[in-house]
Amino acid sequence: MKMQVVTENIELCRLEEHYEEIPHVHENWVQLTFAVRGGSSVITQGTSGFIPEGAGIVHKPMQEHQIRVDEGSCAIVIKMRTSLWETLQHEEADCITVEQDINPRELNAEFQRWIAPLLLTDGDDRSRRSLTETGVLLYLTRNLKRGDCPDKNPPCLPELHRTGDPYMDRVLEYIHLSYTSSISIELLSSMALRSRYHFIRSFKAVTGFSPYQYILRLRIQRSKYELEYTEATISAISAGLGFASTSQFYRAFVKITGMAPEQYRLERKMG
């Protein structure tokens, strides 16, 4: 038996007893399979294995796999478009391990929260789909196990403080996770359960900045790290941080730091 909900970027499935699929690959999707009751059989690239309860496995694009769920067992599958998976990983793609450990009861409860809004509507509510995607992304960010990563100087972003408002906290978590991507005020205000006008006022009261200014400062802070610790070109840094053009990045950097990107890089290298 299979229960399934789908958004633009995520597919959520609950596979119950007596479910078996044929070997297949996903061209532009990453699949995470978690055993939440009993265990599940898995065949990866022709090699048989078993996912015990409380464990999971990650299948990358074009990696052939097959999942079987037997009587008395249940698995939850999360498929993500590669673009969203890359956002989740940032620059630590190799650090997320293939084999994962999760809390089955917690994941079961989260799964119900993710799918409930979509099951209660006709499926054409963009804000509800976005909320579901955000919930999945935040859960995975907090819970996915990572291995040893190459030593590197981490980007120094402002510390993420709790506001006391769970909805505003969720907005700030999402921004810190996705600040290099295009983020609409409509999405953020829907996450905060406020109108656009009241959301902007509330956000500024909490952070001291408008949402646009806050995101811009995160990007500039990250660019300072890139300029100091990497050899990336100005245009590459600009594109990687989501700026529409190098000139836009240049103007923002000068306005916030008081110097040009090249000058900042030179001073840090010499210092």
mmCIF file of all heavy atoms in Angstrom, residues 154-198:
data_model
loop_
_atom_site.group_PDB
_atom_site.id
_atom_site.type_symbol
_atom_site.label_atom_id
_atom_site.label_comp_id
_atom_site.label_asym_id
_atom_site.label_seq_id
_atom_site.Cartn_x
_atom_site.Cartn_y
_atom_site.Cartn_z
ATOM 1 N N PRO A 154 34.752 27.956 8.318
ATOM 2 C CA PRO A 154 33.324 28.121 8.057
ATOM 3 C C PRO A 154 32.958 29.578 7.849
ATOM 4 O O PRO A 154 33.570 30.468 8.440
ATOM 5 C CB PRO A 154 32.668 27.573 9.333
ATOM 6 C CG PRO A 154 33.696 27.794 10.391
ATOM 7 C CD PRO A 154 35.025 27.600 9.703
ATOM 8 N N PRO A 155 31.975 29.837 7.006
ATOM 9 C CA PRO A 155 31.514 31.212 6.840
ATOM 10 C C PRO A 155 30.936 31.733 8.141
ATOM 11 O O PRO A 155 30.250 31.011 8.847
ATOM 12 C CB PRO A 155 30.434 31.104 5.749
ATOM 13 C CG PRO A 155 29.986 29.687 5.813
ATOM 14 C CD PRO A 155 31.191 28.887 6.210
ATOM 15 N N CYS A 156 31.243 32.960 8.472
ATOM 16 C CA CYS A 156 30.811 33.527 9.747
ATOM 17 C C CYS A 156 29.508 34.288 9.535
ATOM 18 O O CYS A 156 29.499 35.473 9.236
ATOM 19 C CB CYS A 156 31.896 34.453 10.301
ATOM 20 S SG CYS A 156 31.493 35.177 11.902
ATOM 21 N N LEU A 157 28.390 33.583 9.695
ATOM 22 C CA LEU A 157 27.085 34.226 9.589
ATOM 23 C C LEU A 157 26.611 34.636 10.977
ATOM 24 O O LEU A 157 27.034 34.052 11.982
ATOM 25 C CB LEU A 157 26.074 33.261 8.965
ATOM 26 C CG LEU A 157 26.320 32.860 7.508
ATOM 27 C CD1 LEU A 157 25.204 31.949 7.031
ATOM 28 C CD2 LEU A 157 26.433 34.072 6.598
ATOM 29 N N PRO A 158 25.721 35.620 11.056
ATOM 30 C CA PRO A 158 25.183 36.012 12.358
ATOM 31 C C PRO A 158 24.505 34.829 13.041
ATOM 32 O O PRO A 158 23.906 33.978 12.390
ATOM 33 C CB PRO A 158 24.157 37.097 11.987
ATOM 34 C CG PRO A 158 24.574 37.597 10.647
ATOM 35 C CD PRO A 158 25.182 36.423 9.957
ATOM 36 N N GLU A 159 24.636 34.769 14.348
ATOM 37 C CA GLU A 159 24.014 33.676 15.097
ATOM 38 C C GLU A 159 22.497 33.757 14.970
ATOM 39 O O GLU A 159 21.908 34.845 14.993
ATOM 40 C CB GLU A 159 24.419 33.761 16.564
ATOM 41 C CG GLU A 159 23.896 32.611 17.411
ATOM 42 C CD GLU A 159 24.323 32.712 18.862
ATOM 43 O OE1 GLU A 159 25.144 33.599 19.159
ATOM 44 O OE2 GLU A 159 23.838 31.908 19.680
ATOM 45 N N LEU A 160 21.868 32.607 14.831
ATOM 46 C CA LEU A 160 20.421 32.553 14.681
ATOM 47 C C LEU A 160 19.786 32.548 16.066
ATOM 48 O O LEU A 160 19.870 31.562 16.802
ATOM 49 C CB LEU A 160 20.025 31.294 13.903
ATOM 50 C CG LEU A 160 18.539 31.102 13.589
ATOM 51 C CD1 LEU A 160 18.015 32.297 12.795
ATOM 52 C CD2 LEU A 160 18.329 29.820 12.816
ATOM 53 N N HIS A 161 19.161 33.652 16.441
ATOM 54 C CA HIS A 161 18.538 33.767 17.752
ATOM 55 C C HIS A 161 17.066 33.367 17.686
ATOM 56 O O HIS A 161 16.396 33.555 16.672
ATOM 57 C CB HIS A 161 18.655 35.204 18.275
ATOM 58 C CG HIS A 161 20.054 35.642 18.529
ATOM 59 N ND1 HIS A 161 20.799 35.179 19.589
ATOM 60 C CD2 HIS A 161 20.862 36.499 17.842
ATOM 61 C CE1 HIS A 161 22.000 35.740 19.559
ATOM 62 N NE2 HIS A 161 22.067 36.537 18.506
ATOM 63 N N ARG A 162 16.568 32.835 18.791
ATOM 64 C CA ARG A 162 15.153 32.497 18.901
ATOM 65 C C ARG A 162 14.367 33.735 19.320
ATOM 66 O O ARG A 162 14.809 34.516 20.153
ATOM 67 C CB ARG A 162 14.941 31.375 19.920
ATOM 68 C CG ARG A 162 15.601 30.065 19.517
ATOM 69 C CD ARG A 162 14.992 29.535 18.240
ATOM 70 N NE ARG A 162 15.730 28.389 17.719
ATOM 71 C CZ ARG A 162 15.428 27.763 16.601
ATOM 72 N NH1 ARG A 162 14.431 28.187 15.853
ATOM 73 N NH2 ARG A 162 16.139 26.735 16.184
ATOM 74 N N THR A 163 13.203 33.903 18.712
ATOM 75 C CA THR A 163 12.405 35.106 18.957
ATOM 76 C C THR A 163 11.295 34.889 19.974
ATOM 77 O O THR A 163 10.712 35.854 20.452
ATOM 78 C CB THR A 163 11.758 35.581 17.644
ATOM 79 O OG1 THR A 163 10.773 34.619 17.225
ATOM 80 C CG2 THR A 163 12.801 35.752 16.561
ATOM 81 N N GLY A 164 10.971 33.624 20.257
ATOM 82 C CA GLY A 164 9.825 33.344 21.116
ATOM 83 C C GLY A 164 8.554 33.112 20.327
ATOM 84 O O GLY A 164 7.547 32.652 20.869
ATOM 85 N N ASP A 165 8.600 33.424 19.047
ATOM 86 C CA ASP A 165 7.477 33.185 18.137
ATOM 87 C C ASP A 165 7.871 32.022 17.231
ATOM 88 O O ASP A 165 8.749 32.167 16.389
ATOM 89 C CB ASP A 165 7.202 34.441 17.310
ATOM 90 C CG ASP A 165 6.047 34.278 16.324
ATOM 91 O OD1 ASP A 165 5.685 33.119 16.004
ATOM 92 O OD2 ASP A 165 5.521 35.295 15.858
ATOM 93 N N PRO A 166 7.241 30.850 17.377
ATOM 94 C CA PRO A 166 7.661 29.687 16.584
ATOM 95 C C PRO A 166 7.541 29.900 15.083
ATOM 96 O O PRO A 166 8.324 29.348 14.311
ATOM 97 C CB PRO A 166 6.731 28.569 17.068
ATOM 98 C CG PRO A 166 5.562 29.269 17.678
ATOM 99 C CD PRO A 166 6.103 30.535 18.257
ATOM 100 N N TYR A 167 6.573 30.705 14.658
ATOM 101 C CA TYR A 167 6.397 30.947 13.232
ATOM 102 C C TYR A 167 7.501 31.866 12.690
ATOM 103 O O TYR A 167 8.031 31.641 11.599
ATOM 104 C CB TYR A 167 5.019 31.538 12.952
ATOM 105 C CG TYR A 167 3.901 30.617 13.359
ATOM 106 C CD1 TYR A 167 3.164 30.858 14.514
ATOM 107 C CD2 TYR A 167 3.605 29.483 12.610
ATOM 108 C CE1 TYR A 167 2.150 30.002 14.901
ATOM 109 C CE2 TYR A 167 2.595 28.614 12.990
ATOM 110 C CZ TYR A 167 1.869 28.876 14.143
ATOM 111 O OH TYR A 167 0.880 28.012 14.527
ATOM 112 N N MET A 168 7.857 32.894 13.476
ATOM 113 C CA MET A 168 8.945 33.769 13.051
ATOM 114 C C MET A 168 10.278 33.034 13.122
ATOM 115 O O MET A 168 11.150 33.233 12.264
ATOM 116 C CB MET A 168 8.982 35.032 13.911
ATOM 117 C CG MET A 168 9.910 36.107 13.374
ATOM 118 S SD MET A 168 9.415 36.746 11.738
ATOM 119 C CE MET A 168 7.995 37.757 12.190
ATOM 120 N N ASP A 169 10.427 32.155 14.111
ATOM 121 C CA ASP A 169 11.645 31.342 14.183
ATOM 122 C C ASP A 169 11.785 30.477 12.937
ATOM 123 O O ASP A 169 12.887 30.301 12.401
ATOM 124 C CB ASP A 169 11.615 30.441 15.422
ATOM 125 C CG ASP A 169 11.863 31.220 16.707
ATOM 126 O OD1 ASP A 169 12.335 32.367 16.619
ATOM 127 O OD2 ASP A 169 11.581 30.674 17.785
ATOM 128 N N ARG A 170 10.661 29.937 12.472
ATOM 129 C CA ARG A 170 10.694 29.103 11.264
ATOM 130 C C ARG A 170 11.094 29.928 10.045
ATOM 131 O O ARG A 170 11.849 29.456 9.183
ATOM 132 C CB ARG A 170 9.315 28.464 11.043
ATOM 133 C CG ARG A 170 9.260 27.541 9.836
ATOM 134 C CD ARG A 170 8.013 26.702 9.844
ATOM 135 N NE ARG A 170 6.792 27.504 9.836
ATOM 136 C CZ ARG A 170 5.563 26.985 9.830
ATOM 137 N NH1 ARG A 170 5.411 25.682 9.859
ATOM 138 N NH2 ARG A 170 4.515 27.767 9.818
ATOM 139 N N VAL A 171 10.628 31.163 9.982
ATOM 140 C CA VAL A 171 11.010 32.060 8.889
ATOM 141 C C VAL A 171 12.514 32.303 8.902
ATOM 142 O O VAL A 171 13.192 32.206 7.872
ATOM 143 C CB VAL A 171 10.248 33.398 8.997
ATOM 144 C CG1 VAL A 171 10.862 34.444 8.060
ATOM 145 C CG2 VAL A 171 8.772 33.200 8.661
ATOM 146 N N LEU A 172 13.058 32.605 10.081
ATOM 147 C CA LEU A 172 14.489 32.897 10.182
ATOM 148 C C LEU A 172 15.325 31.663 9.859
ATOM 149 O O LEU A 172 16.365 31.771 9.199
ATOM 150 C CB LEU A 172 14.809 33.411 11.582
ATOM 151 C CG LEU A 172 14.315 34.834 11.880
ATOM 152 C CD1 LEU A 172 14.441 35.154 13.360
ATOM 153 C CD2 LEU A 172 15.079 35.853 11.053
ATOM 154 N N GLU A 173 14.884 30.481 10.303
ATOM 155 C CA GLU A 173 15.586 29.247 9.950
ATOM 156 C C GLU A 173 15.617 29.063 8.440
ATOM 157 O O GLU A 173 16.644 28.694 7.860
ATOM 158 C CB GLU A 173 14.891 28.039 10.600
ATOM 159 C CG GLU A 173 15.188 27.846 12.065
ATOM 160 C CD GLU A 173 14.593 26.552 12.580
ATOM 161 O OE1 GLU A 173 14.980 25.476 12.092
ATOM 162 O OE2 GLU A 173 13.713 26.620 13.456
ATOM 163 N N TYR A 174 14.475 29.306 7.821
ATOM 164 C CA TYR A 174 14.392 29.128 6.367
ATOM 165 C C TYR A 174 15.306 30.114 5.649
ATOM 166 O O TYR A 174 16.003 29.750 4.691
ATOM 167 C CB TYR A 174 12.950 29.307 5.900
ATOM 168 C CG TYR A 174 12.787 29.124 4.415
ATOM 169 C CD1 TYR A 174 12.794 27.856 3.856
ATOM 170 C CD2 TYR A 174 12.637 30.216 3.572
ATOM 171 C CE1 TYR A 174 12.660 27.670 2.488
ATOM 172 C CE2 TYR A 174 12.496 30.046 2.203
ATOM 173 C CZ TYR A 174 12.508 28.771 1.676
ATOM 174 O OH TYR A 174 12.381 28.594 0.314
ATOM 175 N N ILE A 175 15.327 31.368 6.104
ATOM 176 C CA ILE A 175 16.176 32.368 5.469
ATOM 177 C C ILE A 175 17.647 31.986 5.606
ATOM 178 O O ILE A 175 18.411 32.058 4.631
ATOM 179 C CB ILE A 175 15.928 33.761 6.079
ATOM 180 C CG1 ILE A 175 14.552 34.291 5.638
ATOM 181 C CG2 ILE A 175 17.024 34.743 5.654
ATOM 182 C CD1 ILE A 175 14.163 35.605 6.277
ATOM 183 N N HIS A 176 18.057 31.553 6.780
ATOM 184 C CA HIS A 176 19.458 31.178 6.990
ATOM 185 C C HIS A 176 19.833 29.956 6.164
ATOM 186 O O HIS A 176 21.000 29.756 5.841
ATOM 187 C CB HIS A 176 19.719 30.926 8.474
ATOM 188 C CG HIS A 176 20.038 32.161 9.238
ATOM 189 N ND1 HIS A 176 21.262 32.408 9.797
ATOM 190 C CD2 HIS A 176 19.271 33.253 9.521
ATOM 191 C CE1 HIS A 176 21.248 33.593 10.387
ATOM 192 N NE2 HIS A 176 20.049 34.124 10.250
ATOM 193 N N LEU A 177 18.836 29.152 5.830
ATOM 194 C CA LEU A 177 19.088 27.966 5.014
ATOM 195 C C LEU A 177 19.108 28.297 3.529
ATOM 196 O O LEU A 177 19.851 27.690 2.762
ATOM 197 C CB LEU A 177 18.000 26.928 5.296
ATOM 198 C CG LEU A 177 18.132 25.562 4.641
ATOM 199 C CD1 LEU A 177 19.345 24.818 5.187
ATOM 200 C CD2 LEU A 177 16.873 24.747 4.861
ATOM 201 N N SER A 178 18.313 29.290 3.112
ATOM 202 C CA SER A 178 18.065 29.514 1.684
ATOM 203 C C SER A 178 18.430 30.908 1.207
ATOM 204 O O SER A 178 17.960 31.340 0.148
ATOM 205 C CB SER A 178 16.577 29.255 1.387
ATOM 206 O OG SER A 178 16.160 28.011 1.877
ATOM 207 N N TYR A 179 19.273 31.631 1.949
ATOM 208 C CA TYR A 179 19.518 33.041 1.623
ATOM 209 C C TYR A 179 20.189 33.258 0.274
ATOM 210 O O TYR A 179 20.162 34.366 -0.259
ATOM 211 C CB TYR A 179 20.337 33.709 2.731
ATOM 212 C CG TYR A 179 21.745 33.171 2.883
ATOM 213 C CD1 TYR A 179 22.817 33.776 2.230
ATOM 214 C CD2 TYR A 179 22.010 32.068 3.671
ATOM 215 C CE1 TYR A 179 24.109 33.290 2.351
ATOM 216 C CE2 TYR A 179 23.292 31.566 3.807
ATOM 217 C CZ TYR A 179 24.335 32.181 3.151
ATOM 218 O OH TYR A 179 25.612 31.684 3.278
ATOM 219 N N THR A 180 20.803 32.223 -0.297
ATOM 220 C CA THR A 180 21.427 32.400 -1.616
ATOM 221 C C THR A 180 20.431 32.180 -2.753
ATOM 222 O O THR A 180 20.777 32.373 -3.913
ATOM 223 C CB THR A 180 22.605 31.426 -1.802
ATOM 224 O OG1 THR A 180 22.132 30.089 -1.714
ATOM 225 C CG2 THR A 180 23.672 31.661 -0.739
ATOM 226 N N SER A 181 19.206 31.770 -2.411
ATOM 227 C CA SER A 181 18.170 31.553 -3.422
ATOM 228 C C SER A 181 17.186 32.716 -3.416
ATOM 229 O O SER A 181 17.189 33.551 -2.509
ATOM 230 C CB SER A 181 17.419 30.241 -3.134
ATOM 231 O OG SER A 181 18.304 29.152 -3.071
ATOM 232 N N SER A 182 16.339 32.751 -4.422
ATOM 233 C CA SER A 182 15.288 33.768 -4.483
ATOM 234 C C SER A 182 14.209 33.435 -3.457
ATOM 235 O O SER A 182 13.672 32.321 -3.448
ATOM 236 C CB SER A 182 14.689 33.816 -5.889
ATOM 237 O OG SER A 182 13.616 34.727 -5.947
ATOM 238 N N ILE A 183 13.897 34.369 -2.573
ATOM 239 C CA ILE A 183 12.903 34.151 -1.518
ATOM 240 C C ILE A 183 11.850 35.246 -1.626
ATOM 241 O O ILE A 183 12.174 36.431 -1.549
ATOM 242 C CB ILE A 183 13.542 34.190 -0.125
ATOM 243 C CG1 ILE A 183 14.690 33.173 -0.024
ATOM 244 C CG2 ILE A 183 12.502 33.918 0.958
ATOM 245 C CD1 ILE A 183 15.437 33.219 1.299
ATOM 246 N N SER A 184 10.606 34.868 -1.777
ATOM 247 C CA SER A 184 9.539 35.857 -1.925
ATOM 248 C C SER A 184 8.972 36.257 -0.564
ATOM 249 O O SER A 184 8.906 35.448 0.365
ATOM 250 C CB SER A 184 8.408 35.302 -2.800
ATOM 251 O OG SER A 184 7.701 34.286 -2.121
ATOM 252 N N ILE A 185 8.564 37.520 -0.459
ATOM 253 C CA ILE A 185 7.917 38.004 0.757
ATOM 254 C C ILE A 185 6.615 37.248 1.000
ATOM 255 O O ILE A 185 6.230 36.978 2.138
ATOM 256 C CB ILE A 185 7.632 39.519 0.644
ATOM 257 C CG1 ILE A 185 8.953 40.301 0.644
ATOM 258 C CG2 ILE A 185 6.761 39.992 1.804
ATOM 259 C CD1 ILE A 185 9.737 40.190 1.927
ATOM 260 N N GLU A 186 5.937 36.875 -0.076
ATOM 261 C CA GLU A 186 4.679 36.152 0.056
ATOM 262 C C GLU A 186 4.889 34.820 0.773
ATOM 263 O O GLU A 186 4.101 34.425 1.640
ATOM 264 C CB GLU A 186 4.056 35.912 -1.320
ATOM 265 C CG GLU A 186 3.443 37.148 -1.959
ATOM 266 C CD GLU A 186 4.488 38.155 -2.426
ATOM 267 O OE1 GLU A 186 5.658 37.756 -2.670
ATOM 268 O OE2 GLU A 186 4.134 39.349 -2.533
ATOM 269 N N LEU A 187 5.951 34.104 0.410
ATOM 270 C CA LEU A 187 6.248 32.832 1.062
ATOM 271 C C LEU A 187 6.568 33.052 2.535
ATOM 272 O O LEU A 187 6.045 32.353 3.409
ATOM 273 C CB LEU A 187 7.424 32.146 0.369
ATOM 274 C CG LEU A 187 7.983 30.899 1.078
ATOM 275 C CD1 LEU A 187 6.908 29.838 1.220
ATOM 276 C CD2 LEU A 187 9.186 30.356 0.330
ATOM 277 N N LEU A 188 7.424 34.030 2.833
ATOM 278 C CA LEU A 188 7.814 34.272 4.217
ATOM 279 C C LEU A 188 6.627 34.703 5.067
ATOM 280 O O LEU A 188 6.472 34.250 6.211
ATOM 281 C CB LEU A 188 8.914 35.343 4.267
ATOM 282 C CG LEU A 188 10.233 34.985 3.568
ATOM 283 C CD1 LEU A 188 11.223 36.142 3.700
ATOM 284 C CD2 LEU A 188 10.827 33.703 4.109
ATOM 285 N N SER A 189 5.792 35.566 4.530
ATOM 286 C CA SER A 189 4.633 36.023 5.302
ATOM 287 C C SER A 189 3.640 34.888 5.538
ATOM 288 O O SER A 189 3.029 34.797 6.608
ATOM 289 C CB SER A 189 3.944 37.197 4.600
ATOM 290 O OG SER A 189 3.520 36.838 3.296
ATOM 291 N N SER A 190 3.509 33.984 4.567
ATOM 292 C CA SER A 190 2.617 32.831 4.771
ATOM 293 C C SER A 190 3.197 31.892 5.823
ATOM 294 O O SER A 190 2.455 31.309 6.620
ATOM 295 C CB SER A 190 2.398 32.080 3.453
ATOM 296 O OG SER A 190 3.587 31.448 3.005
ATOM 297 N N MET A 191 4.501 31.739 5.870
ATOM 298 C CA MET A 191 5.146 30.917 6.892
ATOM 299 C C MET A 191 4.936 31.521 8.280
ATOM 300 O O MET A 191 4.799 30.799 9.273
ATOM 301 C CB MET A 191 6.637 30.781 6.609
ATOM 302 C CG MET A 191 6.972 29.938 5.390
ATOM 303 S SD MET A 191 8.734 29.993 4.983
ATOM 304 C CE MET A 191 9.430 29.258 6.453
ATOM 305 N N ALA A 192 4.921 32.846 8.351
ATOM 306 C CA ALA A 192 4.747 33.540 9.629
ATOM 307 C C ALA A 192 3.279 33.708 10.001
ATOM 308 O O ALA A 192 2.968 34.220 11.084
ATOM 309 C CB ALA A 192 5.420 34.904 9.568
ATOM 310 N N LEU A 193 2.376 33.277 9.117
ATOM 311 C CA LEU A 193 0.925 33.398 9.329
ATOM 312 C C LEU A 193 0.522 34.860 9.549
ATOM 313 O O LEU A 193 -0.272 35.186 10.427
ATOM 314 C CB LEU A 193 0.469 32.543 10.514
ATOM 315 C CG LEU A 193 0.741 31.037 10.410
ATOM 316 C CD1 LEU A 193 0.158 30.305 11.611
ATOM 317 C CD2 LEU A 193 0.173 30.477 9.116
ATOM 318 N N ARG A 194 1.086 35.739 8.728
ATOM 319 C CA ARG A 194 0.767 37.159 8.803
ATOM 320 C C ARG A 194 0.519 37.700 7.401
ATOM 321 O O ARG A 194 0.963 37.110 6.416
ATOM 322 C CB ARG A 194 1.931 37.947 9.442
ATOM 323 C CG ARG A 194 2.137 37.697 10.932
ATOM 324 C CD ARG A 194 3.437 38.364 11.385
ATOM 325 N NE ARG A 194 3.606 38.390 12.819
ATOM 326 C CZ ARG A 194 4.082 37.386 13.543
ATOM 327 N NH1 ARG A 194 4.431 36.246 12.933
ATOM 328 N NH2 ARG A 194 4.222 37.497 14.852
ATOM 329 N N SER A 195 -0.139 38.835 7.329
ATOM 330 C CA SER A 195 -0.256 39.522 6.058
ATOM 331 C C SER A 195 1.115 40.067 5.692
ATOM 332 O O SER A 195 2.004 40.191 6.546
ATOM 333 C CB SER A 195 -1.262 40.671 6.158
ATOM 334 O OG SER A 195 -0.750 41.706 6.985
ATOM 335 N N ARG A 196 1.284 40.395 4.438
ATOM 336 C CA ARG A 196 2.576 40.936 3.977
ATOM 337 C C ARG A 196 2.983 42.152 4.793
ATOM 338 O O ARG A 196 4.127 42.244 5.262
ATOM 339 C CB ARG A 196 2.460 41.296 2.486
ATOM 340 C CG ARG A 196 3.729 41.919 1.895
ATOM 341 C CD ARG A 196 3.455 42.444 0.509
ATOM 342 N NE ARG A 196 4.603 43.144 -0.039
ATOM 343 C CZ ARG A 196 5.454 42.643 -0.913
ATOM 344 N NH1 ARG A 196 5.273 41.420 -1.369
ATOM 345 N NH2 ARG A 196 6.471 43.353 -1.354
ATOM 346 N N TYR A 197 2.060 43.074 5.005
ATOM 347 C CA TYR A 197 2.358 44.322 5.726
ATOM 348 C C TYR A 197 2.762 44.040 7.168
ATOM 349 O O TYR A 197 3.782 44.534 7.660
ATOM 350 C CB TYR A 197 1.131 45.235 5.685
ATOM 351 C CG TYR A 197 1.254 46.471 6.542
ATOM 352 C CD1 TYR A 197 2.060 47.534 6.141
ATOM 353 C CD2 TYR A 197 0.573 46.564 7.756
ATOM 354 C CE1 TYR A 197 2.178 48.678 6.938
ATOM 355 C CE2 TYR A 197 0.685 47.695 8.546
ATOM 356 C CZ TYR A 197 1.488 48.743 8.134
ATOM 357 O OH TYR A 197 1.615 49.857 8.919
ATOM 358 N N HIS A 198 1.974 43.217 7.875
ATOM 359 C CA HIS A 198 2.273 42.939 9.278
ATOM 360 C C HIS A 198 3.514 42.070 9.434
ATOM 361 O O HIS A 198 4.234 42.180 10.432
ATOM 362 C CB HIS A 198 1.065 42.286 9.956
ATOM 363 C CG HIS A 198 -0.044 43.246 10.238
ATOM 364 N ND1 HIS A 198 -1.147 43.358 9.429
ATOM 365 C CD2 HIS A 198 -0.201 44.167 11.228
ATOM 366 C CE1 HIS A 198 -1.950 44.299 9.913
ATOM 367 N NE2 HIS A 198 -1.398 44.801 10.998
#
